[in-house]
Amino acid sequence: MSTFSSSQHLSETAISDLRAQLRGDALVPGDGRYNDARTLWNAMIDRRPAVIAQCTGVADVLDALAFARSNDLSVAIRAGGHNVAGTALCDGGLVIDLTRMKGIRVDPASRRARVEGGVTWGELDRETQVFGLATTGGVIPSTGVTGLTLGGGIGWLMRKHGLSCDNLISADVVTADGRLVTASADEHSELFWGLRGGGGNFGVVTSMEFQLHEVGPDLVAGPLFYPREQGRDAFRFARDRAASQPDELICHLGVVTAPDGAQLSALIPVYVGPIPDGERAIEPLRQFGPPAADMAGPIPYLSLQSLFNAAYPTGLRNYWKAAFIGELPDDLIDLMVESYAGTPSPYAALLLEQCGGAVNRVGASETAFPHRNAAYNVVITTAWDDPSSDERNIQWVRDTWNQFSPFLDD
């Protein structure tokens, strides 16, 4: 949401007036907490807003947006701050920071949850799992709920229960002209359509209401690791069984680096249902052959949601690309396994996130998320800590992307 032009020429009087209006804080360069407030998950992002409005409620959001308009400032919105591209910050403008808006209310009777704009998936999962409930959400707990949902929302539960945006019931939104509206199927339905997968440019989402489902507390899940080269056959094996697998089973495919430096291919199954059914459902995957390491078994849902934490730590420099594919050809599988051999970082990963099931049963025009016929989401990620390695790591992602491009959907 960048309606206004950029300016850093704010008078002390203007900042003082803003601080007097807000229940939260207004931070400017030189303030003690300013640098912490502009630090995002991706250390590649180094932007310096003219002012960061740390909002505590809708009134603060309205006042901050009015301030940006009257001072001709560009606007960025920070919720979880986990977006790799760094859209939560802008240079020289105003950041509407929602990270202090942490309200969560779970209604176990109706299986619904109301979530404020600064809540992360780890925080929401903790509250819903008290009642044995969950909704499709991010696989790294520090990911923001609103940002992921606005982009569609891929997660372990999506084949059974749909994307995050498919479970969105309503959203409170402050529009660019300073109105607070509630968008749902019955109110502001066109806005509601856009919020479900259309990205974050429709306004400031101050809260969302979600449908919840019975999940856990334990599921059968975990990776089966093989030597990298064996991924050629393992990925074909999993792909060929995808059409017959139940919606409760999702199986991602990946090429990663182990802590000891070994490059591995992985099948990552998760079964959303009773443990005995899950054990039976993943057994066909084990028939491919003995893995180098078999970590699949009963696991608490909250532990599953934190499974990739160590692989994606806060504070590294990140560069990613992703696209959907309608089918998984042999040539793309071979490219995945071959191209990973040249990665310059042990934090690099090539992932195929399986779609299908409930995701594909929603019509392409029913929401703003158009990839309803996708078989997999192809994700190329890497991370590193030394700025002098920027060019080498970014180039590896771009070269890999160019190799993959003939197979990717537009």
Side-chain angles (χ1 to χ4, degrees), residues 78-148:
R78 175 174 183 161
H82 213 280
N83 176 273
V84 176
T87 56
L89 291 184
C90 56
D91 277 320
L94 179 140
V95 172
I96 296 178
D97 185 339
L98 307 179
T99 56
R100 293 171 65 175
M101 295 175 61
K102 294 291 193 182
I104 303 172
R105 183 181 184 278
V106 177
D107 183 348
S110 64
R111 295 183 184 174
R112 293 188 177 191
R114 170 66 67 176
V115 182
E116 284 195 309
V119 173
T120 65
W121 283 105
E123 292 163 345
L124 178 57
D125 288 337
R126 183 177 185 275
E127 297 296 324
T128 59
Q129 275 291 282
V130 170
F131 306 102
L133 301 171
T135 197
T136 306
V139 299
I140 302 175
S142 56
T143 304
V145 170
T146 53
L148 188 84

Side-chain angles (χ1 to χ4, degrees), residues 1-4 62 65-66 68-69 75 173-181 201-204:
M1 183 180 179
S2 53
T3 307
F4 315 107
L62 290 166
L65 196 59
R69 186 183 299 107
V75 175
V173 185
V174 174
T175 61
D177 59 359
R179 295 178 299 126
L180 175 66
V181 301
N201 290 317
F202 299 100
V204 186

Side-chain angles (χ1 to χ4, degrees), residues 224-269:
L224 308 171
F225 289 111
Y226 302 88
R228 175 178 58 81
E229 297 83 355
Q230 209 168 344
R232 292 184 178 87
D233 295 327
F235 295 168
R236 286 172 169 82
F237 184 87
R239 176 203 61 191
D240 293 345
R241 280 148 186 78
S244 61
Q245 76 185 59
D247 290 354
E248 289 81 2
L249 178 63
I250 188 169
C251 185
H252 292 352
L253 316 176
V255 192
V256 298
T257 300
D260 65 0
Q263 293 186 344
L264 301 172
S265 292
L267 308 182
I268 313 168

